[in-house]
Amino acid sequence: MFWAANVPPSEAIDCESSSRERRRFITAKYKEGKYRRYHLLFGNQEALNKALCAAVETSDVAETLSLLFCGAEVGCFSGDPRYPNPSALAEEAGQRLQKELLAQNRSSEIPRLESTRDTVVKQYYMPPQSITCNGFLYKTASMVRPVTEKRAKEDFSRRWCVLNDGVFSYYESDKNSTPNGELKMREVVCLSVNKRDTHGYERTFEIYTESERLYLFGTDSADTMEEWVKSIAKSFVPRTAEALVDHDFERIGRLQYKDGLNLECAKVGWFALTNSTLFYCIDDTEKEEAIQLRKLQELSIQSDNEVLVLVEGRR
């Protein structure tokens, strides 16, 4: 049930679904694991355990569940002999709910990586410094598909937005204390800045998340737009790739990639597109490199539009 919210309405089944639809849904859910949203650290046991020890000292139960269901070990060693495991850390931090959650999930069945050539190397994610920003933006309803048509101003609703401590919250107004919704910055995959007048508001940007939902925001103020875009980018791009945020980017985010030196192992890299230049930071280093897209020898899409192949010189 933890990943149930990730099932698109178009693929969900109900009491009137046919046997064929049920078979397709069961295969996708249980055999293919289609609706799972793996933690960024999935496959890196040491990093998962380290992240779990940090999470149980906070009230973020959802993060703890995500880590546990992706392989973090309930009884792992914390590195501190005084509080040797996550349960002891949770108790010391006064997080009773976290401690109970750990106790109830000691024997949970977790997904495992299958033996395959296409393994993905995960790196431990260190969040950047806390960024704070607030103000009014205009927002459309979230979507599961890319925005291909112009959205009029009437499609947007005015919302009071707050970015604080890695969480983007939006409210009915600045008088409300309960948000209409929240976005965790660690779940952001891509931030896209649209060209002027793409939609009803002069300036618009899109946030795409791991749950494959797209959020569209707008404003008529260039200063407001710049402040929000830079603040959001700084909140989800790690320190090792923070140089990318300094560019006047059109898109910025993370992708799985393979290079010419090792086509068997996929890694997670951070990329920023600025005009015809693709800047990137890979291998968990602060070194920034660039690809001049106009000099590419080949650009193609493979595997049902899920793989983009760039060939530059001999790479």
Side-chain angles (χ1 to χ4, degrees):
M1 293 299 293
F2 184 70
W3 287 296
N6 298 325
V7 180
S10 60
E11 298 182 24
I13 58 174
D14 54 34
C15 58
E16 297 182 356
S17 299
S18 66
S19 58
R20 181 178 180 181
E21 292 172 329
R22 292 174 183 275
R23 188 182 307 110
R24 182 172 60 245
F25 175 79
I26 291 172
T27 299
K29 182 177 181 180
Y30 296 104
K31 186 176 181 179
E32 300 173 358
K34 181 177 180 180
Y35 309 120
R36 294 173 182 166
R37 292 293 176 265
Y38 294 104
H39 196 280
L40 182 62
L41 301 176
F42 180 55
N44 187 332
Q45 192 64 56
E46 181 181 354
L48 281 170
N49 292 345
K50 185 176 180 180
L52 177 63
C53 290
V56 298
E57 294 182 292
T58 72
S59 59
D60 194 347
V61 175
E63 171 71 354
T64 299
L65 279 171
S66 178
L67 290 163
L68 289 174
F69 292 167
C70 283
E73 298 170 336
V74 173
C76 67
F77 179 55
S78 67
D80 187 343
R82 297 173 301 168
Y83 315 108
N85 53 55
S87 181
L89 289 171
E91 183 175 9
E92 171 62 18
Q95 297 295 335
R96 298 173 58 187
L97 183 57
Q98 293 278 27
K99 184 179 179 181
E100 180 64 22
L101 183 63
L102 293 169
Q104 296 297 325
N105 285 275
R106 287 174 180 168
S107 58
S108 295
E109 183 178 352
I110 57 176
R112 296 291 183 184
L113 283 174
E114 296 181 0
S115 177
T116 174
R117 291 170 60 89
D118 292 331
T119 55
V120 179
V121 175
K122 305 288 186 178
Q123 301 294 336
Y124 183 66
Y125 176 69
M126 292 295 293
Q129 294 180 355
S130 177
I131 305 297
T132 300
C133 188
N134 61 73
F136 282 105
L137 288 172
Y138 295 85
K139 175 186 176 296
T140 65
S142 63
M143 296 157 273
V144 295
R145 295 181 180 180
V147 184
T148 57
E149 298 180 353
K150 183 172 182 176
R151 294 299 179 97
K153 280 192 173 184
E154 292 74 20
D155 295 328
F156 291 76
S157 299
R158 190 169 185 252
R159 294 288 181 261
W160 175 254
C161 300
V162 177
L163 175 61
N164 185 48
D165 200 22
V167 179
F168 181 99
S169 307
Y170 49 93
Y171 302 76
E172 192 76 22
S173 75
D174 56 347
K175 307 299 183 184
N176 292 79
S177 58
T178 302
N180 288 15
E182 293 183 339
L183 295 172
K184 293 184 178 180
M185 290 295 97
R186 65 169 176 269
E187 297 176 357
V188 174
V189 175
C190 179
L191 171 63
S192 176
V193 180
N194 295 321
K195 295 181 179 180
R196 292 178 61 177
D197 299 318
T198 297
H199 299 289
Y201 285 92
E202 184 176 351
R203 316 275 179 168
T204 55
F205 64 88
E206 302 170 10
I207 300 175
Y208 188 75
T209 67
E210 291 177 347
S211 59
E212 297 186 1
R213 298 203 70 85
L214 185 148
Y215 298 80
L216 175 62
F217 296 88
T219 178
D220 281 331
S221 168
D223 291 340
T224 299
M225 175 75 166
E226 182 177 2
E227 181 182 12
W228 275 106
V229 166
K230 291 297 184 180
S231 296
I232 292 172
K234 290 177 181 178
S235 293
F236 79 92
V237 175
R239 292 188 183 94
T240 54
E242 62 184 2
L244 299 177
V245 179
D246 295 333
H247 297 289
D248 187 18
F249 55 82
E250 300 162 34
R251 292 176 182 265
I252 188 169
R254 54 183 160 92
L255 291 169
Q256 292 182 15
Y257 76 94
K258 299 178 182 179
D259 59 35
L261 299 177
N262 187 355
L263 294 177
E264 295 185 359
C265 185
K267 301 179 181 179
V268 175
W270 293 87
F271 299 80
L273 177 64
T274 303
N275 296 321
S276 60
T277 303
L278 182 64
F279 297 95
Y280 62 94
C281 293
I282 58 178
D283 295 331
D284 201 28
T285 67
E286 297 183 8
K287 182 182 178 181
E288 179 187 88
E289 299 187 59
I291 298 175
Q292 300 300 324
L293 300 181
R294 291 179 179 176
K295 297 181 180 180
L296 289 180
Q297 291 186 346
E298 178 185 340
L299 176 64
S300 59
I301 300 176
Q302 301 178 3
S303 302
D304 298 326
N305 297 328
E306 292 185 356
V307 178
L308 182 64
V309 179
L310 284 70
V311 179
E312 179 190 37
R314 296 182 177 180
R315 293 193 296 173

